[in-house]
Amino acid sequence: MSPHSISSSLVSDLGLPAPLEKELPVVPIHVRLIATLRYKCKALVRRWWAWEFLAAGLSILATIALIAVLITNDGRTQDSFQLGALPISLNVVVAAISTVIRASLLVTVAGALNQSSWNWFSSPSKGAIPSPGRPLKDIDTFGDAAFDSWSSLRLLHRTKGKTLASLGAVITIASLAFDTFSQQVLNTSTRAVPIVISKGHRLGKSALVRSVAYVGQSGPSIQGAVMSSIFDQYSTLDSGHCATGECHWPTTPTLAMCSSCTDVKSQARVVRSDLGGGSFSIDVVPQLQPSPHDSESRSQSHSAANISFFVDLDRSNGSAKYGPISPTFALSSTYFEATEEGRPIIAKINICGVPPSGLNPPQSTHGSEQNFQIADFDNSIVFYQCEFKFCLQAYTAHTTIARIKQDLVATWDQWSLSDDDDDDDDDAGNSSWVVADAPAKMNINNSSSYRVKTVALQSLTTIFNNLLEDQLEAEVNANTISALLRAGAITNASASGAFAEVFRNAANSTADINTLATKMATGFTNFIRTSMSAPPDPRYGPTFYTDKTFIRVRWEWLTFPIGLLLAGHIFLLATVWQTQHRRLRPWKGHRVPLLLANIDDIIRYRARGGFETRQGLEERVGRIKVRLDFEGRDEIAFRRV
C-alpha cells in the first residue's frame, strides 16, 4: 500500500476533513500582454540592438527634457533661471542637453551604418536574385563611415546615394551643424519692467511739478519768465526726476496758460494818400471794436495803434522804395471783460505792421513803370490777434534716452466764477475762477481745487499790458522821409521795442506767430508750476522701470535638430528590417565574425605581399567583387563573383 493511500485512509478513519486543492489565480489580459511585449523587447534588444535602442530612447528623453526646459523659461527673465545652488546659466543647460541628444543620435546611426556593411555584401532573402557582388574594398568604406563625416562623404560618393546606408551617411555629415542650430534656439531681449520703490521716494523729487491755484506774483518775475521763454529756443515744460533712468508718469493735470493767434487782417482798414510825384502815404487802421464792458480795473489797456508808411515810385530807374513814417510794427491790447467772456482771459494782443519779409520792394524791369502797383503793398501788411488765458492742461511723461519727454494729452477750458468759501465778503475781489466739469481724461479728483483768484488775474493783465509800453516814436515828416528814400539813406527802420521786435520777426505766417505765443505760454506755465507748485500726490507718482533681460525661444531653430533625430530613428528601424529581411545577424561593427569568415582561395592567393604597404591589399584584392554567403549554420564566406 502506498504512503499516499495509507494517509488518505487514515484521514478518512479519523474523520478529518480532506485537504483543499490550491487554485492558481487568473492573470489579466493586459498584464499578460505587457509581459509578452517585455519579453519580446528583451529578446530583441539584449541580443543585438541593445545599445542602439537605448541610445535612441535616451535621445528622445533628452529632446523632451530640452523642450520642457525651453517652454518653462520662454519669456522669463534671464536671472530667474536657477539650477539649485549651482551658478549655471540656461545656455549651459541647453548646450549640455543638446550634446546628449547629438551623442545618442550618433551612437544610433553608427550602429546602423556598421550593420549596413554586412547588408551591402549579402543577398536578399532566400529565393530572390543573388547579390551581383561588391568590391572587397567596400568593407573599409562602410566601416569607416560610422566614425567620421569624411568617410561618410566617401560612402555617398561610392553609392551615389542609392542605398539605405546613404541616409546614415547624410545624417552623420549633417550632425556637424547640430550644435550650430541648437545654439541659435535661445535669444535674449531687453525691455523695461516696473519695479517697486518706497512711497516716500516716489513722492519726492520724482513727482512732476504741477500747480492747482494762481494767487498772484510780482510783475518783474513774471515778465522775466515770459521774456526768457521767448528767447529760449528749446522752451519745454518742467520735468520730474527719474531715479532709475526709466519712468512713466500718469496723466497729470496742472494749471497753465494757453494761447491762440488768428489772422484778423480782414478787420483792418488801409487808407492811402497820394502825395504826388509817385509818392504815397499809407495808413493801416485796426477796426477791432472794444468790449462795451470797460473794466476800471484795467486802466492799463492800450488802444489799437495806427501804422503809417511812405511809398515812393522812382520813375528814373523803374524801381520802388518804401519805408515807415512811424514804427513799422505796433502792439496793443483790446478792452475786454473777463466776466463777460466767461473765462479767465489774461490778455488780447493786437499785432499789426509789416514783417521783415514785407520790407523788400518788388523788383521790376528797367524802364517799366507798370510792374509795381501801389495796391500790391497791401499784401505785405499783417494783422493778428493773440489771446492768452488760463486753462487746465493734462500731460504724460516718460524717459527717452535718459531724457524725460512730456506729451500734452488734453486741454480743458471750461470755467465758472464762484465766491471763495473762506471769505464772507461778497466783493468781486474775493471771488475765483474755478475749473468746471473737467472730463475723466484729465485725471482730476476734484475740479474745484483748480482755481484762479480774480484779483490775481486783474494784476496779471496789467503786467502783460506793461510789456507793450516800450514803443519807439519816429518824428519825421513825409518830405523828410521822401528825401531820405530818394537819396538811399533809409532802406529799413528799427522795430518798436524789444517785445515788438520779437513779434515782428515771427509775423511772417500764422504758424510762426502761434509758435511764439506758445513759447510765451509755456514760460508762464513753468513759472507758476515751480513757484506755486502743489504738494506731491500719490495719484500722480511715476512708475519706475528697470531694464531686464528676457529669454526668447526661437522654436524654428529646433526644426533641424528634431528632423535630424527623426531621420536617425527611421534609419535605425529601416536597417533592422533590412537585416531581418536578408536573414542576417546584426554583427554590426564586431570584428570576430569577419575574422572567422571563409574567403575564396584565389583572393587569399592574390593578397600575398599586400600586407607590407598601406595600400597593398586594396591594390591587389580591393576591386575583386565578392558576395557574403552562408555555408551551413555556423559558417559564412566571402565568395568571388
Side-chain angles (χ1 to χ4, degrees):
M1 183 178 295
S2 65
H4 177 71
S5 59
I6 295 175
S7 61
S8 299
S9 59
L10 182 60
V11 170
S12 176
D13 294 340
L14 295 176
L16 298 175
L20 299 176
E21 294 183 1
K22 185 177 181 181
E23 297 182 357
L24 295 176
V26 179
V27 180
I29 297 178
H30 70 278
V31 175
R32 285 183 289 174
L33 181 61
I34 294 175
T36 302
L37 291 176
R38 185 180 299 173
Y39 173 78
K40 294 293 184 181
C41 291
K42 287 181 178 180
L44 176 64
V45 173
R46 288 181 176 177
R47 288 184 180 179
W48 300 108
W49 297 102
W51 291 108
E52 286 74 18
F53 278 99
L54 286 175
L58 179 60
S59 63
I60 293 175
L61 293 177
T63 302
I64 295 174
L66 176 62
I67 294 176
V69 169
L70 294 177
I71 292 176
T72 304
N73 293 277
D74 190 14
R76 299 178 61 182
T77 57
Q78 193 173 30
D79 54 3
S80 64
F81 177 80
Q82 291 183 351
L83 192 63
L86 299 176
I88 298 177
S89 65
L90 182 61
N91 289 327
V92 175
V93 174
V94 172
I97 297 177
S98 299
T99 302
V100 173
I101 296 174
R102 181 174 180 268
S104 303
L105 173 64
L106 291 179
V107 170
T108 302
V109 174
L113 269 177
N114 280 320
Q115 181 59 30
S116 297
S117 176
W118 296 97
N119 296 346
W120 177 251
F121 287 95
S122 65
S123 299
S125 59
K126 186 176 181 181
I129 300 175
S131 172
R134 309 293 184 184
L136 194 59
K137 64 179 180 180
D138 286 350
I139 293 178
D140 291 335
T141 303
F142 276 78
D144 293 342
F147 299 103
D148 58 80
S149 300
W150 171 247
S151 298
S152 296
L153 188 62
R154 290 175 54 204
L155 175 61
L156 284 176
H157 179 266
R158 168 67 184 87
T159 61
K160 310 300 180 185
K162 298 179 180 180
T163 63
L164 179 61
S166 301
L167 176 59
V170 171
I171 295 173
T172 304
I173 297 172
S175 66
L176 295 175
F178 191 96
D179 292 337
T180 301
F181 278 81
S182 62
Q183 290 172 2
Q184 298 299 321
V185 171
L186 284 182
N187 192 19
T188 58
S189 60
T190 302
R191 65 175 183 266
V193 295
I195 59 175
V196 178
I197 296 183
S198 62
K199 291 185 177 180
H201 176 83
R202 183 170 183 168
L203 299 179
K205 295 182 179 180
S206 299
L208 298 180
V209 291
R210 61 189 184 94
S211 177
V212 299
Y214 180 76
V215 296
Q217 277 286 351
S218 62
S221 58
I222 295 177
Q223 290 180 352
V226 173
M227 294 300 292
S228 297
S229 66
I230 291 176
F231 296 103
D232 182 9
Q233 184 179 1
Y234 304 100
S235 179
T236 58
L237 293 171
D238 285 340
S239 302
H241 173 70
C242 182
T244 61
E246 183 77 17
C247 296
H248 288 227
W249 282 265
T251 301
T252 304
T254 184
L255 207 61
M257 176 190 283
C258 293
S259 64
S260 62
C261 296
T262 56
D263 189 348
V264 292
K265 183 179 178 180
S266 60
Q267 303 181 38
R269 181 167 56 89
V270 180
V271 180
R272 303 191 200 92
S273 300
D274 191 347
L275 303 180
S279 300
F280 297 87
S281 174
I282 301 176
D283 294 327
V284 182
V285 183
Q287 297 296 303
L288 296 177
Q289 298 297 326
S291 172
H293 302 276
D294 185 12
S295 175
E296 295 181 359
S297 64
R298 301 191 180 193
S299 58
Q300 298 293 333
S301 298
H302 299 275
S303 61
N306 293 355
I307 309 297
S308 299
F309 296 91
F310 173 80
V311 180
D312 178 42
L313 180 61
D314 188 355
R315 290 180 172 83
S316 61
N317 56 17
S319 62
K321 297 179 181 180
Y322 53 88
I325 294 177
S326 63
T328 61
F329 223 77
L331 303 177
S332 64
S333 63
T334 58
Y335 292 95
F336 63 91
E337 177 61 42
T339 305
E340 181 70 19
E341 296 282 349
R343 49 208 171 108
I345 297 178
I346 300 171
K348 287 184 178 180
I349 299 178
N350 300 322
I351 305 161
C352 183
V354 179
S357 60
L359 293 178
N360 298 320
Q363 299 296 323
S364 62
T365 305
H366 180 71
S368 175
E369 299 180 1
Q370 302 300 322
N371 288 344
F372 176 78
Q373 300 294 330
I374 193 64
D376 294 337
F377 186 76
D378 294 349
N379 297 328
S380 300
I381 300 173
V382 297
F383 189 24
Y384 303 103
Q385 186 178 76
C386 293
E387 181 180 271
F388 297 89
K389 59 187 176 183
F390 276 102
C391 65
L392 193 66
Q393 289 182 340
Y395 55 91
T396 59
H398 63 278
T399 53
T400 303
I401 315 178
R403 296 184 63 182
I404 299 178
K405 181 179 182 297
Q406 299 191 65
D407 299 312
L408 183 64
V409 295
T411 300
W412 188 247
D413 190 23
Q414 298 297 323
W415 298 81
S416 62
L417 191 62
S418 65
D419 295 332
D420 292 341
D421 296 336
D422 57 351
D423 201 325
D424 296 333
D425 193 353
D426 294 334
D427 186 19
N430 296 319
S431 61
S432 297
W433 290 95
V434 179
V435 173
D437 303 326
K441 64 181 180 180
M442 303 298 293
N443 195 23
I444 297 177
N445 276 330
N446 184 11
S447 297
S448 62
S449 60
Y450 292 83
R451 58 182 56 229
V452 177
K453 293 282 290 184
T454 305
V455 175
L457 176 62
Q458 295 171 353
S459 175
L460 184 60
T461 301
T462 301
I463 294 172
F464 260 77
N465 285 325
N466 289 337
L467 292 174
L468 310 176
E469 292 182 346
D470 186 11
Q471 300 292 326
L472 177 64
E473 300 294 340
E475 298 179 356
V476 293
N477 54 44
N479 293 330
T480 304
I481 290 292
S482 177
L484 293 174
L485 284 172
R486 292 179 184 278
I490 294 181
T491 58
N492 200 347
S494 300
S496 54
F499 194 59
E501 176 69 14
V502 174
F503 274 91
R504 173 175 172 268
N505 291 331
N508 291 316
S509 66
T510 306
D512 292 342
I513 205 73
N514 269 297
T515 300
L516 174 61
T518 301
K519 294 180 68 174
M520 293 176 58
T522 301
F524 180 78
T525 300
N526 283 342
F527 173 74
I528 62 175
R529 285 175 63 187
T530 54
S531 62
M532 305 179 187
S533 57
D537 189 343
R539 184 186 184 92
Y540 309 116
T543 301
F544 297 91
Y545 290 82
T546 185
D547 288 338
K548 289 279 188 179
T549 302
F550 286 84
I551 300 170
R552 185 171 67 89
V553 178
R554 298 187 290 185
W555 296 102
E556 62 274 11
W557 287 93
L558 272 182
T559 55
F560 177 80
I562 293 179
L564 201 63
L565 184 65
L566 181 61
H569 292 169
I570 293 175
F571 175 59
L572 173 62
L573 295 176
T575 304
V576 172
W577 175 86
Q578 187 183 60
T579 303
Q580 294 290 335
H581 182 67
R582 294 175 181 269
R583 300 183 181 278
L584 286 174
R585 296 293 180 264
W587 295 307
K588 296 176 288 186
H590 297 287
R591 302 303 181 190
V592 175
L594 188 62
L595 291 174
L596 298 178
N598 296 327
I599 194 168
D600 194 281
D601 292 337
I602 296 177
I603 299 176
R604 193 183 301 276
Y605 175 77
R606 290 185 180 181
R608 292 179 179 178
F611 293 92
E612 301 297 330
T613 60
R614 186 175 67 87
Q615 298 291 335
L617 290 176
E618 183 175 346
E619 292 174 355
R620 285 170 171 76
V621 298
R623 297 188 180 186
I624 299 177
K625 290 186 177 182
V626 297
R627 181 177 62 239
L628 180 63
D629 291 332
F630 287 88
E631 296 180 349
R633 183 175 180 180
D634 297 325
E635 291 186 6
I636 58 175
F638 287 94
R639 297 302 180 187
R640 184 169 60 90
V641 177

